Amino acid sequence: MIEDKKGTILPQLQAARKAKQVMLKLGLEQKKTVLAGIAEALRSHVGEIITENRRDLERMNPLDSKYDRLLLDESRIESLAKSVLDVSKLADPTGQVLSSREVANGLRIEKKSVPLGVVGVIYESRPNVTIDVASLCIQSGNVCLLRGGSDAWYTNSFLVRLIQDVLIQQHLDEHIVQLLPTDRELVTELLEATAFVDIIIPRGSQSLIDFVRQNAKVPVIETGAGVCHTFVDDSADLDMAAKIVANAKISRPSVCNSLDTVLVHRTVVSEFLAKLFPFFVESKVTVFADSESDAILKSLDFPHLENAQESDYGREFLDLMCSVKVVASLEEALEHIANYSSKHSECIVSENQQNITTFMESVDAAAVYANASTRFTDGAEFGLGAEIGISTQKLHARGPFALEKLVTEKWFVTGQGQIR
Amino acid sequence: MIEDKKGTILPQLQAARKAKQVMLKLGLEQKKTVLAGIAEALRSHVGEIITENRRDLERMNPLDSKYDRLLLDESRIESLAKSVLDVSKLADPTGQVLSSREVANGLRIEKKSVPLGVVGVIYESRPNVTIDVASLCIQSGNVCLLRGGSDAWYTNSFLVRLIQDVLIQQHLDEHIVQLLPTDRELVTELLEATAFVDIIIPRGSQSLIDFVRQNAKVPVIETGAGVCHTFVDDSADLDMAAKIVANAKISRPSVCNSLDTVLVHRTVVSEFLAKLFPFFVESKVTVFADSESDAILKSLDFPHLENAQESDYGREFLDLMCSVKVVASLEEALEHIANYSSKHSECIVSENQQNITTFMESVDAAAVYANASTRFTDGAEFGLGAEIGISTQKLHARGPFALEKLVTEKWFVTGQGQIR
């Protein structure tokens, strides 16, 4: 029992709802001042943050894959401070007039962007999420309820205390940013708090996301899995294709925008695989090959080769592994993608403009690429700043879910006594 | 057993997914031609539509409140045809460039609006929904799966057959618009068909919406209840306030944007209720009054008076009934609304600009009004054309859910071999 267990988060929910009103009155300059204060607080408390972080690390096996994600050191804390300042430089997504009209009866009808209200975020052991989410929510005028993993309790408690001290110094309600206890039952309370919480964002593993989706009554924005294909067309520049495929697989295999399946046009498969060969050998990529590509790779003595099973298509590898399939046409590639894609990021490498257009228009995904690595699907790369994740759903936010989508719309109707 | 029961809608789901590709290639002119064909088909089959509609009506008790909703006659069929043509005049919501930038590495990154894909709509006995939804989906490039009530089976079957004949005549895939069988188990199949259906819209009673929300795995857009308040400020023009309140309650009490609770500033309550009195007496409105307003209305001999219980606040009456509460201040009104509102439409009647601004900024609702009836919350009144309903949720669509929101976003990234 490392945290306070009261059996309910109702007081925190109520305080969040009250703090919403404070946020609505906060101008951009004041939000920037708060974020500058948070960056400054991080920089001036490096030693204490590391001490609290060690208390968490001591409770974890250093061989656990979560250990590195949990670890904060001087340079990581400095990047956190920098990322807070980066967020403060982004345009205010609220208060934008999205449409404005005066209708025949004289009513003025304006639609403006406004904060979502109270944002609940459920995440795991990364303490950087605490700082990222808090700064994105402050800049977009939202109150946030942070439910981090119990592994990071001491670190998160200290970071949130730092933020709350900045809020208090600036004469603002400290409940704008709150850390919730980590009991499992209290997560359920958060997921069902439709009267207090406007949106829940799960950030972490697929099992966490599934749990939230299945149990939430509050609307959820999902950041889902990425099963990403790259199709090498018969007109492709094969040197370019090999570099794009290698980069999409190798540069960071553990992330959702990395490549999972290469589809290659039969006409160019031998030449293409020969060009891809040195990249994959050097990085020890394991290939799950269909029979045609298997024969070619065998003849090249490719070292890490497996026979692809049906389940290796539509599989998110998140590792130095990928599946390869030979196709007879663009149409066959499109059909494969329609059947196996998770609608995240899909790419064609081609010099045929007609094929590029057909591919980009037909493929149903958050991001479609021509002649570039799918690894670019990212808020910062797309020029949106920090992101909360990549949304693979179609409602509200699709693709990088960044500051500009932490808002909703509101209709302002002004009359002089109009009745209907 | 009036319809085909196969135990699965899989073939229809598969046909819908295939038809998506046809829709992506349809230009605005072609969509207009389809809608013109549908309007024409409705006009040239009035007799047969009425015959099929009678087969449904004969199965229903004429005293059932659904009887009138189900009934189609010559003039209603003509309005259906007109509404199809109205939809065809709306701007194409797809293909709009929402953002476009070339980033430092030379990648061109465009965000465009695209159809949602396959839209499932679950509704009850109104056959006009069949025509409204089909025309909105065609104009926005979406395939639609219509699951109407079994009460309207013959009518809906005939209407959908008419639409499909138009599609076939125009050499298009008839599966762009499909009617689903009405078995309860097959609704569940639709609600779980995440591989085929992109969005589900329930349209009808609260119990239908609740059923869909609880059982859907496909994302849902809800059009929820409206618990609407009007606050009469101490600075209000009381003649205007009485007319606005009367209109908001009386003009169409059965709809979601009608008034449920009047909040009145104590300073003006006697004078205001005296002015409201004749409107409410004439229309036989029942008032659930708090003790202060009860005393005043009693002294006026108001005929339809009840003591308000706690449950009469936050209650959606959908009838010639409303609750009244006296408040001491704008702040008390705001607090009441925050506690009881369903976040649909909320109004202040006031001549004090400061109070109007505070009210409109602070109240968390899809639409906020100053000095006009909440009855205006409607797609057509807001200049958006036909609507699928009023969304009280904050994600994707808020307020009138019309053609412009039947789209999602898609990122188009074009490179020359960029890797990360």
Side-chain angles (χ1 to χ4, degrees), chain A residues 329-344:
Chain A
S329 62
L330 171 63
E331 290 63 40
E332 194 184 336
L334 291 174
E335 204 181 318
H336 182 95
I337 291 171
N339 286 330
Y340 294 101
S341 160
S342 71
K343 303 184 181 174
H344 188 296

Side-chain angles (χ1 to χ4, degrees), chain A residues 228-248:
Chain A
C228 303
H229 301 77
T230 294
F231 169 54
V232 181
D233 188 23
D234 56 356
S235 70
D237 173 333
L238 297 179
D239 288 308
M240 185 200 281
K243 279 181 200 150
I244 287 173
V245 167
N247 177 266

